[in-house]
Every structure is written in C-alpha cells, then in structure tokens.
Amino acid sequence: MDSPAQIVGSWVDRSLPHEPERARRLLETTYSLVGAAGRLRIGASVPMATERYNGVIASTVARGLRHPEDSVLVNIFMPCEPLRALSATPLFPEAISVYLANTCCATPFAQAAEDHDVPETFCSYHKVMIGMAETGVLPKPKAIVNTTLACDANQVSFAHLAKRWNAPHLVVDVPNASGEEAVRDVAGQLRRTVAALEEILGRSFDEERLRKVMGASAKTVSAVRAFRRLRGEATLPMTTTGELCLVIATHCMLGHPASLRFANEMLSALGGSGGARRSRKAAANGGVTASARGASCRVPRIFWIHTLPNWQMSMRGVFDGAVSAELVGCDLSYESLALPDPEHPFESLARRIVESSNNGAAERRIQCALESAKQARADGAVLFCHWGCKQTMGLSALAKEEFEREGIPVLVLDGDGCDPRNVADGQMITRTNAFLEAVRS
C-alpha cells in the first residue's frame, strides 16, 4: 500500500506538464498540513521539537508558493534577516527540493530541468528547483537574491531563472578572503541590496525592526554555540531531519522566533545553558540520555559533513533516533557562528558570510568540521558527496586524510539529497553498515 507521500507524489506527477497550477495547489495544501501537524506537537522531547520546527519550515515553503508576490528566492548562504524585516518570505532550493523529495515527486522536476538542457551532473537541489520553474509549478518570485558563496550552482541557476522569469536579480559578491575590508565591502553590498528590495517590494525598510530580528538571531546563535560546546557530553535521539532543521535554523530561517525556540529546545535537551545534565531515565520519555559516552561503544557517534538525505528511508533506518548510530552534528550547522550585533546589523550579516568556513580554501571548512567533530566526541564521520556538489567532492580526500590523522575514521559516501535516480540504495547501506561495524570494533 502506498504511503500518503507516495500518493501525493503520484498526483503531482500526473498533473505535469498540463496542469501545473493543480500540482502547485497540491503541494501548497500538503505542506500547509505538515505545518498544521507540527503546531499540534506538544512536549519537550527532541522528536517533538523537530516535528514542530519541521512544520514551520513546511509552512514557509507553502506560503512562498501561495504568495509569490511576497517571496524572494535566495541561496542558503544569503542572510535573510532583512527579508524578515521587510515581511518577505525566503524560498531556497535546499528546502524546496528536500520537501519535494519527501513528497516523492522530485524526480519529474529534475527530469524536466534536464529536458531544458540542464546538465545531468548539475546539483540536484538546484536542478529540481529549475524543473519546478520550467514546468510552471514554481511561480515567479518578486525577486531573486543570492551570494556568490559557496556553491558554483548559484552562479548558474539563479541567473537562469532570472532570465526565464524576467525577474529582478541581485547578487552579493563575497570576496574570497576574510578581514575587515571584506566585511565593509559586503556590508555595503547588503545595504544596496536592501535598498533595491524596498523598491521592488514597494515597502519601506525599518532598520529598527531589523535590529529586533537580529536580536533573535543573536540569541539563536548563542544557543547553538552552547549546544555545539556541550554536544559531546550527552546522547540525543537526533534524526537526519533534525540535523537538517538545525542547518536551516542557522541559515535562511535565522531570526525567526521558531528557530530560536528550536535552538533553545535542543540546548535544553542537553541539560540547559547552566550545564546540568539529565538522567538516563529521561531517554525513556524521548529526551536525552545523560552525560558521558558510555553508550558510544555500542552506538557509534557519527559526525556528518555536508547535507543529509533525509528522504531516504534506508538511511533514516540507520541514523534516526540513535539506534544503530547517533548523529552528533553536521558541519553546515556550525560553518559560521559569528555572534550577531543588533546595533551593527549589516556589518554582522557581512561578517557571517565573510567568516564562513565555506569561504576560501577547503582547509578552512575541514578544520571547522574537525573541531566540531572533536567537540561532539565523534567516533567517526560520514562525508556525504551530494550529487553535483563539486566543492564537497573535491575536498573529500583531503578531509578524510585530516580526520583520520586525528583518529576519526571517515566514510566518503556518494548519494543525493533529493533525487533518487542518483542513489544506489543497497550499496549505500552496505557500505554504511560495514563502516559502522568497523568503528564499533
């Protein structure tokens, strides 16, 4: 019997290419229902917190599809607090494509993009987004805004869609170096971008409102910093979806009240900012097991590098809930945790981009990931080579060498974060289980 997601996916597939508006309505309704279900989740456990926040993200995607006049298409590294201050909805390819994958209908959109001359080897997140646009399911947003950090697909997909839609396209060009001069440069670009968005959206920008949003961002980043610092002291029933939620909370949804709540709930699951630890009995209530690593001999602690294939049920069966292996972090959640300063919002936003570990040489990203893995007391790491991500594939050998020099074995795993056509499921599970067995021994 087909699952609800498979049924919705088949309905969407049948609506293409002749009824794109019907397909869009189906997706809007589905994601709105996910959002409603999230609001009904109560309790302080990690699974409940994840479902609540997942519902908020789904509602954001639904709102972007339903109200394109208020939506701005961005890349995941674009700071979105100014959009929140302008009451605009950020839409980004990773969220769009991941939700389509979990609705079992990413493949027809990826194929539609390839039918419009997008290379098969192109990043699947961006390919699926382009396919949505080419089929008419993704409506024209009010504007497109992206940084040049850090994905090369940014330079192609957003320009392609801006031309297709004849939509305003603003680009923040990030210098390939850190330092205060680079921060001033990017801050100036961000100010000009916001001024342009004022005209495009027909709204006045209120810097005081931005400061309030930045205040929420600062509290969220502080909570995530503390969570990262304490993660090695406890066991949590994290899931692939939960780790992705933390990535989004520290990127395009940073500044949203739900992101602050989610970050605080994750920190509370570790015993709170005061550093207290809950007892192992809490795990029976869906919370945490306590303190130390005693369980790590039985359940390997795995740090994840790059995005996660949370649509893939076989991988979820291995990693979700800390049953066969415990996910203890993802490098993308911690790649730029510069503390926002609400009194200097544009400089803070610029510093977040410039100081990102994804800006510059691959060694920066590797060292940041290695530091996070050590703090989490990881027993091993999975470096996920998402289809089409040349940066991650390019650094994989160097990352494996660096991690293993520090005593952390690495599995370089090829896969796809949203398109099942590029996944050898059985081979992935075989390699993953063999790696986990080796880490246990």
Side-chain angles (χ1 to χ4, degrees):
M1 183 176 177
D2 287 343
S3 68
Q6 289 171 323
I7 292 170
V8 172
S10 67
W11 288 346
V12 171
D13 196 6
R14 286 198 298 269
S15 298
L16 301 176
H18 305 297
E19 296 180 282
E21 290 187 4
R22 179 174 182 268
R24 185 190 308 162
R25 287 194 300 271
L26 283 167
L27 293 171
E28 289 171 11
T29 302
T30 300
Y31 302 148
S32 295
L33 289 172
V34 173
R39 289 192 293 274
L40 295 175
R41 301 302 183 189
I42 59 174
S45 70
V46 171
M48 289 298 101
T50 298
E51 290 192 38
R52 278 195 296 272
Y53 189 62
N54 183 46
V56 173
I57 302 169
S59 295
T60 300
V61 174
R63 186 165 57 252
L65 294 176
R66 186 177 297 114
H67 297 290
E69 71 278 5
D70 291 325
S71 71
V72 176
L73 193 63
V74 299
N75 69 314
I76 197 168
F77 294 104
M78 180 68 202
C80 291
E81 288 94 334
L83 297 184
R84 195 160 306 285
L86 285 164
S87 299
T89 302
L91 278 177
F92 47 105
E94 290 79 7
I96 293 169
S97 300
V98 163
Y99 277 100
L100 287 174
N102 280 282
T103 320
C104 302
C105 60
T107 295
F109 292 112
Q111 185 60 55
E114 291 175 12
D115 292 343
H116 285 81
D117 299 325
V118 175
E120 181 186 354
T121 54
F122 199 61
C123 170
S124 295
Y125 291 123
H126 287 258
K127 189 193 303 181
V128 169
M129 175 184 69
I130 291 171
M132 277 190 81
E134 295 293 356
T135 57
V137 175
L138 183 64
K140 175 184 174 180
K142 200 67 176 177
I144 299 172
V145 185
N146 67 278
T147 69
T148 54
L149 178 77
C151 167
D152 60 339
N154 291 338
Q155 317 310 316
V156 179
S157 60
F158 293 113
H160 171 90
L161 292 178
K163 183 177 180 180
R164 184 192 187 281
W165 282 323
N166 191 27
H169 183 201
L170 308 170
V171 179
V172 177
D173 189 12
V174 183
N176 190 26
S178 57
E180 288 306 306
E181 183 177 349
V183 170
R184 287 191 295 271
D185 176 12
V186 173
Q189 292 185 62
L190 290 171
R191 285 191 174 90
R192 292 191 292 274
T193 297
V194 168
L197 285 172
E198 279 188 283
E199 283 201 30
I200 293 167
L201 294 167
R203 298 168 192 168
S204 296
F205 175 71
D206 183 354
E207 190 158 328
E208 183 56 36
R209 186 177 179 190
L210 175 61
R211 290 191 184 96
K212 291 179 180 178
V213 175
M214 293 291 288
S217 291
K219 292 176 183 177
T220 303
V221 169
S222 293
V224 173
R225 281 179 162 189
F227 179 81
R228 179 195 187 208
R229 187 176 63 252
L230 298 173
R231 186 64 182 89
E233 303 303 318
T235 293
L236 293 180
M238 290 297 287
T239 63
T240 53
T241 296
E243 292 291 351
L244 275 178
C245 282
L246 199 57
V247 172
I248 292 173
T250 54
H251 288 82
C252 292
M253 296 284 284
L254 190 55
H256 194 294
S259 299
L260 175 56
R261 178 181 178 180
F262 180 66
N264 280 333
E265 287 173 332
M266 292 298 100
L267 179 58
S268 177
L270 289 177
S273 58
R277 299 292 180 270
R278 296 186 184 181
S279 69
R280 291 183 180 276
K281 187 176 179 181
N285 298 319
V288 238
T289 49
S291 101
R293 299 179 68 199
S296 67
C297 295
R298 292 175 286 103
V299 179
R301 297 169 65 87
I302 301 299
F303 188 80
W304 197 276
I305 302 172
H306 204 46
T307 187
L308 299 99
N310 80 321
W311 63 270
Q312 200 173 341
M313 297 304 294
S314 57
M315 296 299 285
R316 287 169 61 174
V318 173
F319 290 102
D320 283 10
V323 177
S324 300
E326 181 187 355
L327 289 171
V328 294
C330 173
D331 76 314
L332 291 177
S333 298
Y334 309 130
E335 57 91 23
S336 187
L337 292 179
L339 191 64
D341 178 2
E343 296 306 311
H344 301 90
F346 288 102
E347 288 74 18
S348 288
L349 297 172
R351 186 165 284 107
R352 181 191 308 163
I353 307 173
V354 169
E355 293 183 359
S356 165
S357 65
N358 282 274
N359 188 30
E363 184 66 27
R364 290 189 65 191
R365 182 179 177 189
I366 294 169
Q367 289 304 316
C368 179
L370 183 56
E371 180 184 347
S372 296
K374 286 180 176 179
Q375 283 189 322
R377 297 188 183 182
D379 300 306
V382 172
L383 195 156
F384 186 65
C385 290
H386 164 72
W387 184 271
C389 185
K390 299 175 182 62
Q391 285 87 348
T392 306
M393 294 176 187
L395 63 76
S396 60
L398 180 58
K400 182 176 174 67
E401 180 181 335
E402 291 282 339
F403 268 65
E404 293 186 346
R405 183 180 295 124
E406 296 294 326
I408 302 176
V410 172
L411 170 65
V412 178
L413 191 64
D414 294 329
D416 199 306
C418 59
D419 188 353
R421 299 177 305 169
N422 302 321
V423 171
D425 192 73
Q427 184 183 86
M428 284 181 69
I429 292 303
T430 298
R431 294 190 63 219
T432 299
N433 285 331
F435 174 72
L436 295 176
E437 188 59 38
V439 170
R440 286 189 195 99
S441 61

